[in-house]
């Protein structure tokens, strides 16, 4: 029997050119499959529990912002302006009503006397002949129901019974006349005094001031 050859380390088998080519091709195919798998997974929807990547938002369609969209805004602006005008009109009407009520509470014949005063001053030039016989003092709004009112005091310094008429202008902060009122008293005896009210029918704002413009004794 031939003796067994001694066991030793086997030398690695030599690889020829064909084997190297097969290994290289296999590695290339494996890498390509991995890339395809990654690309496919990124495009497909994620499974339950994973976060879904949303698409990039697109720019808004400019046609959506048309005149139809602006129309409701214009309508709202128009309604707001109309509401403001209505509120101002209501405020003026309310102020006028309060002034009428206050005048009526002061004297039953106030309107008749004031109308007579206006008629008496129609043909009067300048400031009239009785400016020194008339004075005017403002009254707090808390005492006049919230309206602007001034007390006009007439003094008959003659020896005969006389009628008096005055014109009072209500001015704004720039000095412009906003309203004119006429106040009068009749049959004032010599040496006597009488008081009447000049009452504005204008709204509380803007604030006005009263000015005595004319005074006539007749």
């Amino acid at each position: 029997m031939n003796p067994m050859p001694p066991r030793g380390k086997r030398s690695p088998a030599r690889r020829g050119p064909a084997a190297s080519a097969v290994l290289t091709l296999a590695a290339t195919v494996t890498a390509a499959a991995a890339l395809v798998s990654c690309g496919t997974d990124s495009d497909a929807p994620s499974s339950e529990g994973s976060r879904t990547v949303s698409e990039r938002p697109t720019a808004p369609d400019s046609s959506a912002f048309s005149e139809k969209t602006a129309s409701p805004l214009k309508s709202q602006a128009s309604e707001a302006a109309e509401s403001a005008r209505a509120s101002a009109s209501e405020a003026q009407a309310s102020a006028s009503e309060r002034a009428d009520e206050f005048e009526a509470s002061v004297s039953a014949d106030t309107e008749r006397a004031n109308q007579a005063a206006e008629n008496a001053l129609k043909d009067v030039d300048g400031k009239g002949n009785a400016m020194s016989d008339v004075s005017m003092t403002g009254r707090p709004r808390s005492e006049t129901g919230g309206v602007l009112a001034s007390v006009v005091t007439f003094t008959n310094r003659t020896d005969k019974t006389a009628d008096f008429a005055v014109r009072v202008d209500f001015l704004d902060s720039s000095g412009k006349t906003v309203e004119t009122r006429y106040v009068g008293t009749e049959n004032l005896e010599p040496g006597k005094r009488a008081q009447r009210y000049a009452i504005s029918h204008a709204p509380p704002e803007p604030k006005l001031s009263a000015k005595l413009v004319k005074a006539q004794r007749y």
Side-chain angles (χ1 to χ4, degrees):
M1 293 181 61
N2 293 330
M4 294 289 292
R7 294 181 179 180
K9 295 182 179 180
R10 295 181 180 180
S11 59
R14 294 183 179 180
R15 298 174 181 175
S20 298
V22 169
L23 293 177
T24 301
L25 177 60
T28 303
V29 170
T30 302
L35 291 175
V36 171
S37 175
C38 292
T40 304
D41 291 344
S42 64
D43 294 337
S46 61
S47 61
E48 184 177 357
S50 301
R51 184 176 59 186
T52 302
V53 179
S54 61
E55 297 181 357
R56 178 178 297 176
T58 58
D61 186 2
S62 61
S63 64
F65 302 97
S66 62
E67 183 65 24
K68 293 182 179 179
T69 305
S71 294
L73 298 179
K74 292 181 180 179
S75 177
Q76 293 175 6
S78 177
E79 290 176 0
E82 183 64 26
S83 177
R85 287 192 294 269
S87 297
S89 178
E90 290 176 2
Q92 184 168 1
S94 178
S96 180
E97 289 174 1
R98 290 198 303 270
D100 288 339
E101 292 172 358
F102 183 68
E103 285 178 334
S105 67
V106 172
S107 175
D109 63 351
T110 296
E111 185 60 32
R112 182 185 59 81
N114 292 349
Q115 185 61 53
E118 182 177 359
N119 293 334
L121 290 173
K122 285 182 178 179
D123 299 326
V124 174
D125 294 329
K127 294 184 176 182
N129 61 9
M131 288 292 286
S132 60
D133 298 330
V134 178
S135 62
M136 190 167 62
T137 306
R139 290 291 299 274
R141 289 179 183 264
S142 60
E143 298 179 5
T144 62
V147 300
L148 176 60
S150 295
V151 178
V152 180
T153 302
F154 303 90
T155 303
N156 186 359
R157 304 181 189 279
T158 69
D159 56 359
K160 297 180 180 179
T161 300
D163 298 337
F164 288 83
V166 300
R167 170 184 164 178
V168 178
D169 283 355
F170 291 93
L171 315 177
D172 62 15
S173 59
S174 66
K176 178 182 177 181
T177 299
V178 175
E179 184 182 13
T180 296
R181 304 295 293 175
Y182 295 91
V183 182
T185 187
E186 299 173 322
N187 301 318
L188 186 60
E189 297 179 356
K192 299 294 184 179
R193 299 172 62 189
Q195 291 185 326
R196 300 288 184 268
Y197 281 94
I199 302 172
S200 170
H201 288 228
E205 297 294 339
K207 295 186 181 299
L208 305 178
S209 59
K211 178 182 179 181
L212 182 62
V213 178
K214 289 185 178 184
Q216 182 74 10
R217 182 181 61 254
Y218 61 100

